[in-house]
mmCIF file of all heavy atoms in Angstrom:
data_model
loop_
_atom_site.group_PDB
_atom_site.id
_atom_site.type_symbol
_atom_site.label_atom_id
_atom_site.label_comp_id
_atom_site.label_asym_id
_atom_site.label_seq_id
_atom_site.Cartn_x
_atom_site.Cartn_y
_atom_site.Cartn_z
ATOM 1 N N TYR A 1 18.455 -11.625 14.846
ATOM 2 C CA TYR A 1 17.838 -11.226 16.107
ATOM 3 C C TYR A 1 16.497 -11.934 16.345
ATOM 4 O O TYR A 1 15.870 -11.717 17.382
ATOM 5 C CB TYR A 1 17.621 -9.710 16.130
ATOM 6 C CG TYR A 1 18.865 -8.927 16.414
ATOM 7 C CD1 TYR A 1 19.638 -8.419 15.381
ATOM 8 C CD2 TYR A 1 19.295 -8.686 17.719
ATOM 9 C CE1 TYR A 1 20.798 -7.700 15.637
ATOM 10 C CE2 TYR A 1 20.447 -7.966 17.982
ATOM 11 C CZ TYR A 1 21.191 -7.471 16.940
ATOM 12 O OH TYR A 1 22.338 -6.764 17.184
ATOM 13 N N GLY A 2 16.052 -12.735 15.385
ATOM 14 C CA GLY A 2 14.780 -13.433 15.547
ATOM 15 C C GLY A 2 13.574 -12.515 15.523
ATOM 16 O O GLY A 2 12.562 -12.783 16.172
ATOM 17 N N ARG A 3 13.659 -11.427 14.730
ATOM 18 C CA ARG A 3 12.589 -10.435 14.715
ATOM 19 C C ARG A 3 11.591 -10.710 13.591
ATOM 20 O O ARG A 3 11.521 -9.992 12.596
ATOM 21 C CB ARG A 3 13.185 -9.032 14.609
ATOM 22 C CG ARG A 3 13.980 -8.613 15.821
ATOM 23 C CD ARG A 3 13.115 -8.564 17.082
ATOM 24 N NE ARG A 3 12.018 -7.617 16.957
ATOM 25 C CZ ARG A 3 12.115 -6.344 17.330
ATOM 26 N NH1 ARG A 3 13.230 -5.897 17.872
ATOM 27 N NH2 ARG A 3 11.095 -5.540 17.184
ATOM 28 N N SER A 4 10.803 -11.748 13.772
ATOM 29 C CA SER A 4 9.792 -12.097 12.767
ATOM 30 C C SER A 4 8.623 -11.126 12.779
ATOM 31 O O SER A 4 7.763 -11.166 11.888
ATOM 32 C CB SER A 4 9.286 -13.526 13.008
ATOM 33 O OG SER A 4 8.747 -13.649 14.311
ATOM 34 N N ASP A 5 8.568 -10.228 13.781
ATOM 35 C CA ASP A 5 7.496 -9.248 13.850
ATOM 36 C C ASP A 5 7.705 -8.097 12.881
ATOM 37 O O ASP A 5 6.796 -7.301 12.644
ATOM 38 C CB ASP A 5 7.400 -8.673 15.265
ATOM 39 C CG ASP A 5 8.696 -7.995 15.693
ATOM 40 O OD1 ASP A 5 9.733 -8.686 15.711
ATOM 41 O OD2 ASP A 5 8.670 -6.784 16.008
ATOM 42 N N VAL A 6 8.898 -7.982 12.289
ATOM 43 C CA VAL A 6 9.225 -6.880 11.383
ATOM 44 C C VAL A 6 9.052 -7.339 9.930
ATOM 45 O O VAL A 6 9.607 -8.361 9.523
ATOM 46 C CB VAL A 6 10.665 -6.386 11.598
ATOM 47 C CG1 VAL A 6 10.994 -5.262 10.609
ATOM 48 C CG2 VAL A 6 10.864 -5.915 13.031
ATOM 49 N N THR A 7 8.279 -6.598 9.160
ATOM 50 C CA THR A 7 8.136 -6.846 7.723
ATOM 51 C C THR A 7 9.024 -5.859 6.989
ATOM 52 O O THR A 7 8.773 -4.648 7.021
ATOM 53 C CB THR A 7 6.675 -6.673 7.285
ATOM 54 O OG1 THR A 7 5.853 -7.594 7.999
ATOM 55 C CG2 THR A 7 6.532 -6.914 5.789
ATOM 56 N N LEU A 8 10.080 -6.357 6.354
ATOM 57 C CA LEU A 8 11.029 -5.500 5.643
ATOM 58 C C LEU A 8 10.836 -5.663 4.145
ATOM 59 O O LEU A 8 10.864 -6.777 3.625
ATOM 60 C CB LEU A 8 12.466 -5.876 6.032
ATOM 61 C CG LEU A 8 13.584 -5.104 5.323
ATOM 62 C CD1 LEU A 8 13.538 -3.623 5.688
ATOM 63 C CD2 LEU A 8 14.945 -5.692 5.665
ATOM 64 N N ARG A 9 10.654 -4.548 3.439
ATOM 65 C CA ARG A 9 10.438 -4.568 1.996
ATOM 66 C C ARG A 9 11.223 -3.433 1.336
ATOM 67 O O ARG A 9 11.525 -2.419 1.969
ATOM 68 C CB ARG A 9 8.952 -4.376 1.656
ATOM 69 C CG ARG A 9 8.049 -5.494 2.108
ATOM 70 C CD ARG A 9 8.217 -6.736 1.248
ATOM 71 N NE ARG A 9 7.208 -7.735 1.563
ATOM 72 C CZ ARG A 9 7.327 -8.641 2.546
ATOM 73 N NH1 ARG A 9 8.410 -8.649 3.306
ATOM 74 N NH2 ARG A 9 6.375 -9.512 2.780
ATOM 75 N N ARG A 10 11.515 -3.609 0.035
ATOM 76 C CA ARG A 10 11.984 -2.477 -0.759
ATOM 77 C C ARG A 10 10.820 -1.507 -0.953
ATOM 78 O O ARG A 10 9.670 -1.921 -1.044
ATOM 79 C CB ARG A 10 12.465 -2.925 -2.137
ATOM 80 C CG ARG A 10 13.701 -3.755 -2.158
ATOM 81 C CD ARG A 10 14.246 -3.855 -3.574
ATOM 82 N NE ARG A 10 13.222 -3.939 -4.594
ATOM 83 C CZ ARG A 10 12.684 -5.068 -5.042
ATOM 84 N NH1 ARG A 10 13.082 -6.224 -4.562
ATOM 85 N NH2 ARG A 10 11.762 -5.042 -5.977
ATOM 86 N N PHE A 11 11.146 -0.235 -1.050
ATOM 87 C CA PHE A 11 10.082 0.757 -1.231
ATOM 88 C C PHE A 11 9.322 0.509 -2.521
ATOM 89 O O PHE A 11 8.111 0.746 -2.596
ATOM 90 C CB PHE A 11 10.680 2.164 -1.228
ATOM 91 C CG PHE A 11 9.646 3.237 -1.115
ATOM 92 C CD1 PHE A 11 9.179 3.639 0.129
ATOM 93 C CD2 PHE A 11 9.115 3.848 -2.240
ATOM 94 C CE1 PHE A 11 8.209 4.623 0.248
ATOM 95 C CE2 PHE A 11 8.158 4.834 -2.135
ATOM 96 C CZ PHE A 11 7.697 5.222 -0.880
ATOM 97 N N ASP A 12 10.023 0.022 -3.565
ATOM 98 C CA ASP A 12 9.363 -0.202 -4.854
ATOM 99 C C ASP A 12 8.814 -1.611 -5.004
ATOM 100 O O ASP A 12 8.442 -2.024 -6.099
ATOM 101 C CB ASP A 12 10.324 0.112 -6.008
ATOM 102 C CG ASP A 12 11.581 -0.757 -5.983
ATOM 103 O OD1 ASP A 12 11.743 -1.568 -5.039
ATOM 104 O OD2 ASP A 12 12.411 -0.630 -6.915
ATOM 105 N N ASP A 13 8.746 -2.379 -3.918
ATOM 106 C CA ASP A 13 8.179 -3.723 -3.982
ATOM 107 C C ASP A 13 6.683 -3.632 -4.292
ATOM 108 O O ASP A 13 5.998 -2.718 -3.817
ATOM 109 C CB ASP A 13 8.391 -4.440 -2.642
ATOM 110 C CG ASP A 13 8.122 -5.932 -2.738
ATOM 111 O OD1 ASP A 13 6.944 -6.316 -2.588
ATOM 112 O OD2 ASP A 13 9.070 -6.691 -2.974
ATOM 113 N N PRO A 14 6.129 -4.561 -5.090
ATOM 114 C CA PRO A 14 4.719 -4.475 -5.477
ATOM 115 C C PRO A 14 3.737 -4.462 -4.307
ATOM 116 O O PRO A 14 2.659 -3.876 -4.424
ATOM 117 C CB PRO A 14 4.515 -5.728 -6.354
ATOM 118 C CG PRO A 14 5.874 -6.029 -6.897
ATOM 119 C CD PRO A 14 6.832 -5.651 -5.813
ATOM 120 N N ASP A 15 4.085 -5.100 -3.178
ATOM 121 C CA ASP A 15 3.115 -5.133 -2.085
ATOM 122 C C ASP A 15 3.282 -3.981 -1.093
ATOM 123 O O ASP A 15 2.551 -3.886 -0.116
ATOM 124 C CB ASP A 15 3.152 -6.473 -1.348
ATOM 125 C CG ASP A 15 4.456 -6.689 -0.576
ATOM 126 O OD1 ASP A 15 5.395 -5.903 -0.767
ATOM 127 O OD2 ASP A 15 4.518 -7.667 0.192
ATOM 128 N N THR A 16 4.233 -3.072 -1.367
ATOM 129 C CA THR A 16 4.436 -1.938 -0.455
ATOM 130 C C THR A 16 3.198 -1.040 -0.334
ATOM 131 O O THR A 16 2.817 -0.661 0.779
ATOM 132 C CB THR A 16 5.660 -1.109 -0.882
ATOM 133 O OG1 THR A 16 6.838 -1.903 -0.727
ATOM 134 C CG2 THR A 16 5.793 0.147 -0.050
ATOM 135 N N PRO A 17 2.527 -0.664 -1.445
ATOM 136 C CA PRO A 17 1.327 0.173 -1.295
ATOM 137 C C PRO A 17 0.284 -0.455 -0.376
ATOM 138 O O PRO A 17 -0.353 0.246 0.422
ATOM 139 C CB PRO A 17 0.814 0.307 -2.733
ATOM 140 C CG PRO A 17 2.036 0.159 -3.573
ATOM 141 C CD PRO A 17 2.869 -0.876 -2.872
ATOM 142 N N GLY A 18 0.126 -1.772 -0.465
ATOM 143 C CA GLY A 18 -0.833 -2.440 0.412
ATOM 144 C C GLY A 18 -0.422 -2.384 1.870
ATOM 145 O O GLY A 18 -1.262 -2.200 2.763
ATOM 146 N N LEU A 19 0.870 -2.526 2.128
ATOM 147 C CA LEU A 19 1.354 -2.455 3.504
ATOM 148 C C LEU A 19 1.148 -1.073 4.107
ATOM 149 O O LEU A 19 0.918 -0.932 5.311
ATOM 150 C CB LEU A 19 2.846 -2.814 3.547
ATOM 151 C CG LEU A 19 3.219 -4.264 3.243
ATOM 152 C CD1 LEU A 19 4.736 -4.412 3.129
ATOM 153 C CD2 LEU A 19 2.683 -5.189 4.329
ATOM 154 N N LEU A 20 1.240 -0.040 3.261
ATOM 155 C CA LEU A 20 1.107 1.327 3.757
ATOM 156 C C LEU A 20 -0.349 1.741 3.961
ATOM 157 O O LEU A 20 -0.604 2.756 4.608
ATOM 158 C CB LEU A 20 1.789 2.297 2.794
ATOM 159 C CG LEU A 20 3.314 2.214 2.738
ATOM 160 C CD1 LEU A 20 3.866 3.148 1.673
ATOM 161 C CD2 LEU A 20 3.927 2.545 4.091
ATOM 162 N N ARG A 21 -1.279 0.976 3.416
ATOM 163 C CA ARG A 21 -2.695 1.326 3.607
ATOM 164 C C ARG A 21 -3.184 0.818 4.960
ATOM 165 O O ARG A 21 -4.195 0.133 5.073
ATOM 166 C CB ARG A 21 -3.540 0.761 2.462
ATOM 167 C CG ARG A 21 -3.385 1.534 1.166
ATOM 168 C CD ARG A 21 -4.503 1.210 0.194
ATOM 169 N NE ARG A 21 -4.432 -0.164 -0.273
ATOM 170 C CZ ARG A 21 -3.776 -0.541 -1.361
ATOM 171 N NH1 ARG A 21 -3.132 0.343 -2.100
ATOM 172 N NH2 ARG A 21 -3.757 -1.810 -1.730
ATOM 173 N N ASN A 22 -2.452 1.134 5.985
ATOM 174 C CA ASN A 22 -2.782 0.719 7.339
ATOM 175 C C ASN A 22 -2.681 1.917 8.273
ATOM 176 O O ASN A 22 -2.132 2.963 7.925
ATOM 177 C CB ASN A 22 -1.819 -0.388 7.818
ATOM 178 C CG ASN A 22 -2.037 -1.695 7.092
ATOM 179 O OD1 ASN A 22 -3.154 -2.188 7.000
ATOM 180 N ND2 ASN A 22 -0.967 -2.266 6.574
ATOM 181 N N MET A 23 -3.192 1.732 9.471
ATOM 182 C CA MET A 23 -3.046 2.739 10.512
ATOM 183 C C MET A 23 -1.794 2.405 11.316
ATOM 184 O O MET A 23 -1.591 1.257 11.716
ATOM 185 C CB MET A 23 -4.265 2.734 11.423
ATOM 186 C CG MET A 23 -5.567 3.082 10.735
ATOM 187 S SD MET A 23 -5.677 4.834 10.281
ATOM 188 C CE MET A 23 -5.768 5.577 11.904
ATOM 189 N N PHE A 24 -0.949 3.392 11.531
ATOM 190 C CA PHE A 24 0.268 3.203 12.316
ATOM 191 C C PHE A 24 0.257 4.148 13.508
ATOM 192 O O PHE A 24 -0.155 5.302 13.388
ATOM 193 C CB PHE A 24 1.506 3.473 11.463
ATOM 194 C CG PHE A 24 1.687 2.505 10.330
ATOM 195 C CD1 PHE A 24 1.247 2.820 9.052
ATOM 196 C CD2 PHE A 24 2.291 1.276 10.531
ATOM 197 C CE1 PHE A 24 1.402 1.940 8.001
ATOM 198 C CE2 PHE A 24 2.464 0.383 9.490
ATOM 199 C CZ PHE A 24 2.017 0.709 8.216
ATOM 200 N N GLY A 25 0.727 3.644 14.625
ATOM 201 C CA GLY A 25 0.812 4.503 15.799
ATOM 202 C C GLY A 25 1.853 5.594 15.626
ATOM 203 O O GLY A 25 1.624 6.748 15.967
ATOM 204 N N GLN A 26 3.013 5.212 15.073
ATOM 205 C CA GLN A 26 4.091 6.156 14.820
ATOM 206 C C GLN A 26 4.748 5.811 13.490
ATOM 207 O O GLN A 26 4.830 4.642 13.106
ATOM 208 C CB GLN A 26 5.162 6.111 15.919
ATOM 209 C CG GLN A 26 4.764 6.774 17.230
ATOM 210 C CD GLN A 26 3.845 5.888 18.052
ATOM 211 O OE1 GLN A 26 4.027 4.673 18.077
ATOM 212 N NE2 GLN A 26 2.874 6.493 18.708
ATOM 213 N N VAL A 27 5.221 6.831 12.816
ATOM 214 C CA VAL A 27 5.973 6.661 11.575
ATOM 215 C C VAL A 27 7.328 7.327 11.762
ATOM 216 O O VAL A 27 7.408 8.497 12.146
ATOM 217 C CB VAL A 27 5.237 7.286 10.372
ATOM 218 C CG1 VAL A 27 6.102 7.190 9.109
ATOM 219 C CG2 VAL A 27 3.902 6.591 10.146
ATOM 220 N N LEU A 28 8.383 6.568 11.497
ATOM 221 C CA LEU A 28 9.738 7.101 11.569
ATOM 222 C C LEU A 28 10.263 7.308 10.151
ATOM 223 O O LEU A 28 10.240 6.383 9.336
ATOM 224 C CB LEU A 28 10.661 6.139 12.317
ATOM 225 C CG LEU A 28 12.161 6.461 12.266
ATOM 226 C CD1 LEU A 28 12.454 7.793 12.945
ATOM 227 C CD2 LEU A 28 12.973 5.338 12.896
ATOM 228 N N ILE A 29 10.744 8.505 9.874
ATOM 229 C CA ILE A 29 11.330 8.828 8.572
ATOM 230 C C ILE A 29 12.815 9.091 8.771
ATOM 231 O O ILE A 29 13.200 9.960 9.555
ATOM 232 C CB ILE A 29 10.655 10.072 7.964
ATOM 233 C CG1 ILE A 29 9.175 9.784 7.703
ATOM 234 C CG2 ILE A 29 11.357 10.510 6.682
ATOM 235 C CD1 ILE A 29 8.365 11.016 7.391
ATOM 236 N N CYS A 30 13.643 8.318 8.095
ATOM 237 C CA CYS A 30 15.096 8.476 8.209
ATOM 238 C C CYS A 30 15.636 9.143 6.946
ATOM 239 O O CYS A 30 15.323 8.714 5.833
ATOM 240 C CB CYS A 30 15.772 7.120 8.399
ATOM 241 S SG CYS A 30 15.241 6.231 9.879
ATOM 242 N N ILE A 31 16.428 10.169 7.131
ATOM 243 C CA ILE A 31 17.088 10.854 6.025
ATOM 244 C C ILE A 31 18.594 10.663 6.201
ATOM 245 O O ILE A 31 19.131 10.896 7.285
ATOM 246 C CB ILE A 31 16.755 12.358 6.000
ATOM 247 C CG1 ILE A 31 15.232 12.571 6.017
ATOM 248 C CG2 ILE A 31 17.391 13.028 4.798
ATOM 249 C CD1 ILE A 31 14.497 12.013 4.819
ATOM 250 N N HIS A 32 19.271 10.225 5.147
ATOM 251 C CA HIS A 32 20.698 9.935 5.200
ATOM 252 C C HIS A 32 21.480 11.010 4.439
ATOM 253 O O HIS A 32 20.982 11.559 3.442
ATOM 254 C CB HIS A 32 20.969 8.554 4.622
ATOM 255 C CG HIS A 32 20.232 7.470 5.343
ATOM 256 N ND1 HIS A 32 20.779 6.766 6.383
ATOM 257 C CD2 HIS A 32 18.975 6.980 5.184
ATOM 258 C CE1 HIS A 32 19.896 5.889 6.831
ATOM 259 N NE2 HIS A 32 18.790 5.999 6.119
ATOM 260 N N PRO A 33 22.702 11.301 4.852
ATOM 261 C CA PRO A 33 23.448 12.415 4.257
ATOM 262 C C PRO A 33 23.639 12.321 2.754
ATOM 263 O O PRO A 33 23.494 13.311 2.046
ATOM 264 C CB PRO A 33 24.799 12.355 4.988
ATOM 265 C CG PRO A 33 24.503 11.706 6.282
ATOM 266 C CD PRO A 33 23.430 10.702 5.988
ATOM 267 N N VAL A 34 23.947 11.134 2.231
ATOM 268 C CA VAL A 34 24.306 11.006 0.817
ATOM 269 C C VAL A 34 23.075 10.936 -0.079
ATOM 270 O O VAL A 34 23.113 11.332 -1.237
ATOM 271 C CB VAL A 34 25.202 9.762 0.607
ATOM 272 C CG1 VAL A 34 25.546 9.580 -0.861
ATOM 273 C CG2 VAL A 34 26.477 9.891 1.436
#
């Protein structure tokens, strides 16, 4: 889709804590059945 604006990481990736130390306008939490 050419979405270079999205940064996709594994939750356990080493740089994830740094990415989360930001201000976000909205946070979406998805819960899956399994």
Side-chain angles (χ1 to χ4, degrees):
Y1 282 95
R3 294 298 300 269
S4 58
D5 60 301
V6 178
T7 300
L8 178 64
R9 294 287 188 274
R10 292 193 323 271
F11 192 86
D12 60 357
D13 193 274
D15 68 350
T16 294
L19 291 172
L20 291 176
R21 285 196 293 269
N22 290 309
M23 298 289 292
F24 295 97
Q26 285 78 38
V27 175
L28 170 64
I29 297 168
C30 300
I31 307 297
H32 302 267
V34 178

